[in-house]
């Protein structure tokens, strides 16, 4: 197994949708109330990339179309790739903290990632240090998910 290294990662958006599925509120109202005795709400967030836009080579656009439109649309309040990455990282950190404050258990996994800043964001996002896994290869990734299953 290898990470697909094209780019275009928006972990904050994925985490928001994961929270929506776990929430007892709309748009998915099937979730039990937060902190229901005997039940845990758990999210697992995995990445193989750094948050940010990807610009396809030869493209006339500033980046692929994504959850915030294209980078040049400025929907994140910037058209700078580095500033957009910072904004997305901050939003991911905020949603992780808000989920943890609701009692949601968060596991995070990085896969074949060589970016120490992103690794730190994922480690901080996890509910505690033993819920963060840095996997350098497919075998380590399988081991990470086995460890998560055993913890649960």
């Amino acid at each position: 197994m290898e990470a697909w290294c094209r780019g275009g990662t928006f972990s904050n958006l994925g985490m928001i949708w994961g929270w929506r599925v776990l929430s007892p509120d709309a748009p998915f109202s099937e979730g039990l109330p937060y902190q229901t005795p005997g039940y845990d709400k758990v999210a697992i967030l995995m990445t193989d990339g750094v948050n940010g836009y990807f610009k396809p080579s030869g493209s006339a656009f500033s980046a692929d179309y994504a959850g915030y439109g294209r980078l040049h649309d400025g929907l994140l309040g910037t058209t700078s790739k580095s500033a957009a990455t910072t904004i997305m990282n901050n939003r991911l950190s905020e949603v992780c903290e808000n989920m943890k404050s609701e009692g949601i258990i968060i596991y995070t996994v990085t896969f074949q990632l060589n970016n120490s800043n992103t690794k730190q964001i994922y480690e901080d996002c996890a509910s505690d240090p033993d819920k963060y896994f840095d996997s350098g290869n497919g075998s380590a990734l399988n081991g990470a998910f086995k460890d998560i299953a055993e913890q649960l």
Side-chain angles (χ1 to χ4, degrees):
M1 179 178 279
E2 292 181 21
W4 188 56
C5 298
R6 179 178 159 163
T9 300
F10 295 81
S11 298
N12 62 306
L13 294 177
M15 197 60 154
I16 283 288
W17 279 104
W19 187 7
R20 287 176 177 151
V21 170
L22 293 171
S23 167
D25 303 320
F28 304 103
S29 56
E30 295 85 0
L32 292 172
Y34 292 112
Q35 302 182 21
T36 298
Y39 293 90
D40 290 326
K41 289 182 181 271
V42 179
I44 303 171
L45 180 64
M46 179 183 147
T47 193
D48 67 351
V50 175
N51 281 322
Y53 280 93
F54 173 76
K55 181 183 186 315
S57 61
S59 171
F61 296 105
S62 62
D64 277 346
Y65 189 83
Y68 297 108
R70 296 191 195 284
L71 180 60
H72 68 255
D73 294 335
L75 297 177
L76 278 169
T78 185
T79 56
S80 160
K81 283 181 77 168
S82 62
T85 295
T86 298
I87 291 166
M88 285 185 266
N89 287 341
N90 290 341
R91 288 182 179 186
L92 176 58
S93 296
E94 182 179 359
V95 73
C96 291
E97 291 307 312
N98 289 335
M99 289 173 73
K100 290 187 282 190
S101 74
E102 293 287 3
I104 297 172
I105 300 166
I106 301 175
Y107 288 87
T108 58
V109 181
T110 52
F111 178 61
Q112 293 184 343
L113 190 62
N114 294 319
N115 184 288
S116 60
N117 185 52
T118 301
K119 286 182 180 184
Q120 188 63 57
I121 291 165
Y122 271 66
E123 187 173 356
D124 293 344
C125 178
S127 291
D128 54 62
D130 70 330
K131 290 177 177 51
Y132 167 69
F133 299 86
D134 180 31
S135 306
N137 57 46
S139 177
L141 182 63
N142 287 335
F145 279 96
K146 183 179 181 207
D147 287 351
I148 291 169
E150 289 174 358
Q151 286 184 32
L152 292 174

